[in-house]
């Protein structure tokens, strides 16, 4: 099992550009999510999905779109990049949404810089 | 509002014991998680508590008191590789995770 595969590892964008961060998991996990991590702050949830065809907004969804057409894939799209979106992005999945001990498995992260 | 508090940074000596505290105020409680995150890497799962008491896993133990909204992670026989950030996260009544900002643990020889 590869676990959670996230690409790219690094990306530099100019303000206004768009891009897609890819995330795939091969563990048949029900739940998938995108977080951003900024210095001095806890992980902040951008969007999440509890199953194929179902997505919902997290704490900081503005400027981002997601889709979940298959159980395995959960891409994150930046519509028009802004310097405030400079961050480290993590994709994470877990087996169940509503069970107690269902820890998150994280991808290796994407370091995004917007100039 | 929902809030998780943990110290920003702690320093300890190799071979010693360190306790990292986490206090929380959340809308409901469905468990508390501890994750380890080495610099430049992804968080990895360490422990989960949903009932009061101590859970032991080798050199690492985690304690929970739901009535006090308090948990700690205890690391024994510290090794240099334990230098990392330790993230506390609480699952609220909607099964959403609320994250602390993390505690950076520095181990000195």
């Amino acid at each position: 099992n590869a676990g959670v595969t996230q690409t790219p590892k690094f990306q530099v964008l100019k303000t206004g550009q768009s891009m897609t961060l890819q995330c795939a998991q091969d563990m048949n996990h029900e739940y998938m999510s995108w977080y951003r991590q900024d210095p001095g702050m806890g992980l902040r949830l951008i969007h999440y999905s509890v199953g194929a065809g179902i997505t919902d907004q997290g704490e900081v969804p503005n400027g981002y779109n997601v889709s979940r057409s298959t159980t395995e894939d959960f891409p994150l799209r930046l519509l028009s990049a802004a310097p405030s979106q400079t961050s480290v992005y993590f994709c994470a999945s877990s087996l169940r949404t509503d069970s107690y001990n269902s820890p998150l498995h994280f991808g290796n992260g994407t370091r995004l810089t917007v100039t | 509002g929902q809030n998780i508090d943990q110290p920003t940074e702690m320093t300890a000596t190799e071979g010693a014991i360190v306790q990292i505290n986490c206090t929380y105020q959340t809308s409901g409680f469905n468990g508390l998680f501890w994750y380890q995150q080495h610099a430049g890497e992804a968080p990895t799962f360490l422990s989960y508590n949903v009932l009061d008491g101590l859970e032991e896993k080798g050199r690492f133990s985690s304690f929970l008191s739901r009535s006090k909204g308090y948990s700690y992670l205890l690391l024994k026989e510290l090794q240099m590789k334990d230098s990392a950030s330790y993230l506390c996260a609480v699952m609220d009544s909607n099964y959403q995770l609320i994250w602390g900002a993390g505690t950076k643990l520095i181990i000195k020889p």
Side-chain angles (χ1 to χ4, degrees), chain B residues 2-71:
Chain B
Q2 307 201 93
N3 193 53
I4 309 282
D5 284 316
Q6 44 181 139
T8 303
E9 187 175 295
M10 299 182 70
T11 302
T13 305
E14 190 177 15
I17 300 173
V18 71
Q19 177 176 311
I20 302 174
N21 295 327
C22 171
T23 58
Y24 63 88
Q25 291 177 306
T26 57
S27 303
F29 180 83
N30 277 317
L32 185 145
F33 296 82
W34 284 97
Y35 286 80
Q36 181 189 57
Q37 186 177 24
H38 285 102
E41 298 183 8
T44 55
F45 170 70
L46 281 179
S47 69
Y48 171 78
N49 295 70
V50 68
L51 299 175
D52 290 351
L54 189 68
E55 295 277 345
E56 297 188 74
K57 267 189 188 180
R59 295 188 299 113
F60 292 9
S61 304
S62 56
F63 172 83
L64 175 68
S65 169
R66 288 173 297 171
S67 63
K68 294 181 179 178
Y70 168 69
S71 172

Side-chain angles (χ1 to χ4, degrees), chain B residues 66-98:
Chain B
R66 288 173 297 171
S67 63
K68 294 181 179 178
Y70 168 69
S71 172
Y72 67 72
L73 181 69
L74 191 71
L75 290 72
K76 302 176 188 174
E77 301 168 17
L78 285 170
Q79 302 175 9
M80 298 304 292
K81 68 178 181 179
D82 298 328
S83 292
S85 289
Y86 292 85
L87 313 181
C88 173
V90 173
M91 184 170 278
D92 69 11
S93 57
N94 294 319
Y95 297 97
Q96 295 294 331
L97 282 172
I98 313 301

